[in-house]
Amino acid sequence: MTIADTPSADARSAHAKLPLAALVHPDDQLDMEALLEATARSLQQRGWRVGGLVHRMDQYPNGNKRMQLLDLRSAQQFELTQDLGAASQACSLNPQALAQASGVLRQCLADAVELVVINRFGQVEAAGRGFANEFAAFVDAGIPVLTAVAARHAVDWQRFTGGMHASLPADAAQLLEWCLQQLPQAPATPGAPAAAAVVAKAGEALPSTALGAEAAPAPSSVPTARPAAALQEPAP
């Protein structure tokens, strides 16, 4: 199932946009994970109920890529890759961890979060697996979705969404502004500032990051951006 097949998409005009946005970036561009997480944390701190998953990247002792998914609400981490040894050519994707992480997204849907971050749309989702069904379920429920898409998957993303998505640059202020346009005027948490006040401070809260530049400084829990080549999905 694609997003273009959902009832929500069918009900909109050809020129209407769904509450869905992606940071579409060059394949060799710095990764978007730190920017996605910093945006989510900023909104959470202001009282909005934001959930979802972001990548965490490092290496195993043998130098192989290690990829984890972080639950933005509970901080639980899922080991998305398996260390099969330096000489292994087999697929390192851990399907059990992927299935467990999908439960985080389903719980976000059940809890009716106000916005969800899905780490990225990649080759697994393009094939209709991974988090493809979760993308469609959130959009059909009217819950705004924020993700990242590498240029090599842009055609599949266009097909998946039917073109009814917003494409955002790697600019923190514009990213925050899009999110605030999708959120209710007042966050669910009492005492948190209204959206208008946050918009006025968007430039201060998240400094702008131009494409081709280093990612904006994020809280200490946010990893330093890495080259997108390191983020390529494990070969199936």
Side-chain angles (χ1 to χ4, degrees):
M1 182 180 187
T2 69
I3 288 175
D5 297 326
T6 63
S8 292
D10 291 340
R12 293 174 183 253
S13 70
H15 301 289
K17 298 293 184 183
L18 293 166
L20 174 68
L23 283 71
V24 181
H25 58 90
D27 293 339
D28 61 351
Q29 179 61 43
L30 295 176
D31 77 82
M32 302 294 104
E33 301 304 324
L35 186 54
L36 290 176
E37 183 172 354
T39 302
R41 296 302 185 200
S42 179
L43 293 170
Q44 286 176 333
Q45 290 168 6
R46 287 163 170 80
W48 278 284
R49 292 181 289 105
V50 176
L53 298 164
V54 292
H55 271 122
R56 285 288 176 85
M57 302 288 297
D58 56 17
Q59 292 183 326
Y60 291 108
N62 62 13
N64 282 354
K65 177 179 63 178
R66 181 188 186 197
M67 184 186 300
Q68 297 175 311
L69 288 175
L70 173 73
D71 180 350
L72 286 168
R73 295 199 292 173
S74 72
Q76 182 179 3
Q77 297 191 56
F78 302 89
E79 196 83 3
L80 194 57
T81 50
Q82 307 171 84
D83 185 7
L84 303 178
S88 176
Q89 299 297 314
C91 176
S92 63
L93 184 66
N94 183 348
Q96 182 177 359
L98 190 64
Q100 292 173 341
S102 70
V104 170
L105 297 179
R106 291 194 298 273
Q107 189 61 51
C108 285
L109 185 64
D111 293 342
V113 297
E114 293 169 309
L115 185 143
V116 67
V117 175
I118 301 180
N119 55 296
R120 61 182 51 248
F121 176 92
Q123 66 184 37
V124 179
E125 286 75 26
R129 303 190 303 274
F131 299 142
N133 288 339
E134 284 75 13
F135 269 105
F138 280 110
V139 170
D140 200 36
I143 297 174
V145 180
L146 179 63
T147 190
V149 180
R152 64 185 179 275
H153 300 307
V155 173
D156 290 324
W157 174 246
Q158 181 76 12
R159 174 187 56 79
F160 184 72
T161 67
M164 292 183 288
H165 65 274
S167 293
L168 301 176
D171 180 275
Q174 291 187 50
L175 184 57
L176 183 61
E177 182 179 4
W178 181 86
C179 292
L180 292 170
Q181 288 172 351
Q182 316 306 313
L183 290 165
Q185 285 300 301
T189 303
V198 180
V199 171
K201 292 183 176 293
E204 301 173 17
L206 288 171
S208 176
T209 302
L211 282 170
E214 289 187 350
S220 58
S221 62
V222 179
T224 303
R226 295 178 171 82
L231 282 176
Q232 292 180 5
E233 298 84 356

